[in-house]
Amino acid sequence: MRAIVVEQYGVLPTVQEVPEPVVAAGGVVLKVEATGLCRSDWHGWQGHDSDIVLPHVPGHEVAGTIAAVGDGVTGWAVGDRVTTPFICACGSCEQCLEGNQQVCPNQLQPGFNYWGSFAEYVALPFAAVNLVRLPEEMSFSTAAGLGCRFATSFRAVHQVGKVRAGEDFVVFGCGGVGLSAVMIGAVLGARVVAVDTNPGALELALRYGAAEAVAAGPSAVEEIRALTGGGARVTMDALGSNEIVQQALRVLRPRGRHLQVGLLPDGVQLDVSRVIGQELEWLGSHGMAAHTYPEMLDLVASGVLKPAELVTRTIGLDDVPAALEELSSGTPAGVTVIRP
């Protein structure tokens, strides 16, 4: 099969012919119909993830059709249209048995722990707890964006952050995760303020429901505090930056909530005295378990949520190296989907 292969961190990968994955007991092999290009893939390519072993095939946001079914798998058949969370949980540990598959200690992530979906086929383990059946009317391109960015934002904003109608909700970073958060927050009735350096991303944020758009920079904190009448109830770092974290905490009202979704490979410094003195909450959120997808899929099916509108570019495998390199200088507006 054709796949994107990373042979050296930070060096452009190439399209190569590699062996197709072999189906394992309890798992399936998926024919990749669409896969998202995410900033997490860029982090992996740059060497920020210790789980990756070179040579490596990236890719973790995937939708497709089942091409092979492993021993012991029931309820799934070749040809089924499916997607999966980017966190493939084991299904048998304490966290999984409590329903918290998104923090499974035995999790496997395609594109990180093993070869991923920037390819014509990808293996998915533990099918019983990780496959999500797709509605027939949902396109593969739309579904590919659900597995990481949209689902991650849905859980962070709705299930972890519990953003409510009437609250000021500030989203820092309007890439795929951030724009998803903007759309979800607006649907929940929050007054969303979007922050980014990219005017195109801010334009999309306004289209997806943001009430205000603020250019990132030194003056952003005071501008946001003025727009929110003294501070926001909820902030979210959807990119992953020490500088953003500081700004996000500074614009919170007392007893405000901060959602950390963006990865912080270089760490972060916290003003703990401020967190204590103003009783601020720091909430981490990591993906979403497959069994919690139905609520999100129902909102998509009803037209309340429209993740298809987030997809602004579709490319092929041959275009992936250049698209990865583009992420080194910023995040393009919208979501890029790869059709292998």
Side-chain angles (χ1 to χ4, degrees):
M1 68 174 182
R2 298 176 78 237
I4 295 291
V5 180
V6 177
E7 296 185 295
Q8 297 182 60
Y9 294 125
V11 176
L12 282 184
T14 56
V15 180
Q16 298 182 20
E17 290 285 341
V18 299
E20 292 182 11
V22 176
V23 67
V28 300
V29 168
L30 206 64
K31 181 180 185 297
V32 179
E33 300 290 352
T35 181
L37 176 67
C38 177
R39 179 156 289 276
S40 298
D41 301 311
W42 178 86
H43 279 294
W45 171 50
Q46 291 295 309
H48 298 160
D49 194 300
S50 60
D51 291 326
I52 291 175
V53 177
L54 299 180
H56 182 67
V57 175
H60 61 286
E61 292 184 314
V62 59
T65 53
I66 295 176
V69 177
D71 291 344
V73 174
T74 60
W76 300 100
V78 170
D80 285 349
R81 303 171 79 255
V82 300
T83 187
T84 181
F86 73 93
I87 298 164
C88 290
C90 73
S92 58
C93 69
E94 178 185 38
Q95 292 300 326
C96 285
L97 294 176
E98 292 177 355
N100 297 314
Q101 284 90 344
Q102 75 281 351
V103 290
C104 169
N106 306 315
Q107 65 186 249
L108 294 174
Q109 297 183 19
F112 298 98
N113 300 108
Y114 68 97
W115 282 16
S117 55
F118 287 4
E120 294 176 319
Y121 294 89
V122 65
L124 297 176
F126 313 121
V129 290
N130 295 309
L131 294 187
V132 177
R133 196 176 303 278
L134 291 177
E136 286 297 326
E137 64 274 13
M138 182 176 289
S139 74
F140 288 115
S141 292
T142 299
L146 297 179
C148 175
R149 283 168 284 190
F150 201 85
T152 292
S153 289
F154 185 82
R155 182 169 182 275
V157 175
H158 180 46
Q159 298 174 350
V160 176
K162 299 185 183 342
V163 172
R164 296 183 289 270
E167 291 188 314
D168 287 311
F169 173 38
V170 183
V171 179
F172 288 85
C174 292
V177 171
L179 288 174
S180 299
V182 166
M183 180 182 288
I184 294 160
V187 164
L188 292 172
R191 183 171 179 268
V192 182
V193 179
V195 187
D196 203 279
T197 58
N198 184 343
L202 292 177
E203 183 179 339
L204 287 176
L206 290 170
R207 186 189 307 172
Y208 301 147
E212 305 284 351
V214 174
S219 63
V221 169
E222 292 309 314
E223 185 175 352
I224 294 166
R225 290 186 68 85
L227 288 170
T228 56
R233 296 290 181 188
V234 190
T235 57
M236 176 174 170
D237 175 7
L239 181 63
S241 157
N242 181 62
E243 181 180 358
I244 286 177
V245 169
Q246 308 316 315
Q247 291 188 342
L249 293 177
R250 284 167 58 200
V251 302
L252 280 175
R253 291 177 179 272
R255 309 198 77 243
R257 315 188 295 282
H258 172 68
L259 287 164
Q260 188 62 41
V261 176
L263 300 176
L264 294 161
D266 297 323
V268 67
Q269 294 178 325
L270 291 180
D271 182 352
V272 178
S273 295
R274 179 180 177 81
V275 173
I276 296 170
Q278 298 204 0
E279 293 190 356
L280 304 179
E281 293 184 65
W282 174 287
L283 301 167
S285 189
H286 186 238
M288 189 167 96
H291 72 86
T292 64
Y293 268 55
E295 181 184 13
M296 178 180 68
L297 291 178
D298 287 346
L299 290 171
V300 173
S302 68
V304 173
L305 289 174
K306 301 176 181 179
E309 294 184 2
L310 300 174
V311 179
T312 54
R313 181 172 61 162
T314 301
I315 62 176
L317 283 179
D318 293 322
D319 305 310
V320 171
L324 271 174
E325 187 175 37
E326 186 179 7
L327 289 172
S328 297
S329 55
T331 302
V335 170
T336 297
V337 167
I338 303 158
R339 298 297 298 258

